[in-house]
């Protein structure tokens, strides 16, 4: 707040924008969950993991909607709540958000591993990823997310906790990067073999380009969506006073 504070102003984002984004995200994820539950053809481990991912993101939406709605009602004087109650509500909402962040990242990693097994161990996939193992994996992720979120919220002032969260994000990012690049490399190798047999190099180049674009979009969207949040955590650790 000194002489150099003029260029470092806070950006006021309308709460109505968060409310609208939360509603859109909630509806999108509800549609995913409904589609998987309704269609029996989608009752397989891969779609169970996608369903859990949607539920994780839905928790973020619900938490965001509740928090934003209460803030708007309190700002306009419609709702009057004691400060102690507000603090408890804030802790509960933060715990939900933290749990959903950890579970969402975990299920993204689980989906990548599941796809990797599907491609590299196709003949043994159903014996490796059984329904029972899928259920145990999902239960373990939810349990670990709940426990870790409780620890994170209790000791959020400790830099070690924030570093653990940042490290987990980087681990999932590297895991996805390695697995998907390996899968892309295998698909490229198969395409090269097929195109050499059919003597159609144009088809090979076109398919390789599409695969590279898909991979870039997948990892790019993941980084764009989660990057700002974890960049913010990095700034909290490295620049605590500013």
């Amino acid at each position: 707040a000194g002489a150099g504070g003029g260029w470092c102003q806070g950006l006021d984002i309308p709460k109505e924008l968060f409310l609208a984004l939360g509603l859109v995200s909630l509806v999108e994820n509800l549609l995913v969950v409904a589609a998987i539950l309704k269609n029996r053809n989608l009752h397989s481990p891969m779609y169970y993991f996608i369903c859990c991912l949607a539920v994780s993101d839905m928790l973020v939406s619900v938490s965001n909607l509740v928090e934003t709605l209460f803030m708007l009602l309190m700002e306009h004087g419609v709702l009057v709540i004691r400060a102690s109650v507000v603090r408890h509500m804030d802790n509960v909402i933060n715990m939900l958000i933290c749990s959903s962040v950890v579970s969402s990242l975990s299920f993204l990693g689980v989906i990548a591993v599941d796809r990797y097994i599907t491609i590299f161990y196709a003949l043994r996939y159903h014996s490796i990823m059984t329904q029972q193992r899928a259920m145990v994996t999902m239960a373990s992720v939810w349990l670990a997310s709940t426990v870790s979120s409780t620890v994170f919220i209790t000791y959020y002032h400790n830099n070690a906790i924030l570093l653990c969260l940042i490290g987990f994000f980087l681990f999932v990012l590297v895991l996805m990067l390695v697995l998907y690049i390996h899968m892309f490399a295998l698909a490229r190798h198969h395409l090269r073999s097929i195109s050499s047999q059919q003597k159609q190099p144009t088809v090979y180049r076109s398919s390789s380009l599409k695969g590279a674009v898909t991979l870039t979009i997948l990892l790019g969207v993941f980084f764009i969506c989660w990057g700002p949040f974890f960049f913010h955590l990095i700034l909290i650790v490295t620049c605590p006073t500013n």
Side-chain angles (χ1 to χ4, degrees):
W7 59 271
C8 189
Q9 299 297 325
L11 179 63
D12 186 23
I13 299 174
K15 292 182 178 63
E16 290 79 5
L17 177 61
F18 284 111
L19 198 63
L21 288 173
L23 281 169
V24 171
S25 177
L26 179 61
V27 172
E28 288 177 346
N29 287 296
L30 274 174
L31 287 173
V32 173
V33 173
I36 293 172
L37 293 178
K38 189 176 181 180
N39 192 339
R40 290 185 178 180
N41 295 326
L42 303 181
H43 291 182
S44 62
M46 180 185 74
Y47 290 104
Y48 290 154
F49 297 145
I50 292 174
C51 185
C52 286
L53 177 62
V55 171
S56 299
D57 293 337
M58 203 159 54
L59 283 176
V60 178
S61 305
V62 171
S63 305
N64 175 54
L65 282 171
V66 171
E67 185 178 37
T68 307
L69 194 60
F70 271 102
M71 289 172 71
L72 283 170
L73 291 173
M74 289 169 65
E75 280 183 6
H76 290 86
V78 178
L79 194 64
V80 179
I81 307 177
R82 288 184 301 175
S84 59
V85 177
V86 172
R87 280 197 300 272
H88 287 305
M89 286 176 57
D90 190 48
N91 287 333
V92 171
I93 289 170
N94 286 338
M95 192 175 296
L96 275 174
I97 292 174
C98 190
S99 176
S100 59
V101 167
V102 174
S103 61
S104 184
L105 288 172
S106 299
F107 281 117
L108 282 168
V110 169
I111 290 168
V113 172
D114 179 72
R115 293 301 82 208
Y116 186 85
I117 296 171
T118 305
I119 291 176
F120 285 90
Y121 303 95
L123 298 177
R124 293 196 294 137
Y125 174 75
H126 293 291
S127 62
I128 295 173
M129 189 55 69
T130 60
Q131 294 279 357
Q132 184 179 2
R133 284 178 180 169
M135 294 298 175
V136 170
T137 301
M138 289 185 288
S140 300
V141 169
W142 285 117
L143 179 62
S145 301
T146 304
V147 172
S148 60
S149 65
T150 306
V151 174
F152 288 154
I153 297 305
T154 306
Y155 302 102
Y156 73 95
H157 287 298
N158 194 329
N159 281 351
I161 295 297
L162 296 180
L163 287 172
C164 286
L165 197 55
I166 294 166
F168 181 62
F169 166 72
L170 294 175
F171 168 75
V172 174
L173 179 62
V174 171
L175 177 69
M176 290 177 62
L177 192 65
V178 171
L179 293 183
Y180 282 121
I181 286 177
H182 197 188
M183 285 185 272
F184 171 68
L186 179 67
R188 196 162 174 265
H189 174 72
H190 285 320
L191 279 171
R192 184 183 297 165
S193 301
I194 293 168
S195 62
S196 63
Q197 291 172 9
Q198 296 178 350
K199 299 180 180 179
Q200 291 180 322
T202 306
V203 175
Y204 162 68
R205 284 196 295 269
S206 175
S207 300
S208 295
L209 182 61
K210 287 180 182 178
V213 170
T214 303
L215 184 62
T216 304
I217 291 173
L218 178 69
L219 296 174
V221 168
F222 171 78
F223 187 76
I224 289 170
C225 289
W226 286 112
F229 174 72
F230 286 94
F231 180 65
H232 178 68
L233 293 185
I234 292 170
L235 288 178
I236 290 174
V237 175
T238 56
C239 308
T241 57
N242 190 8

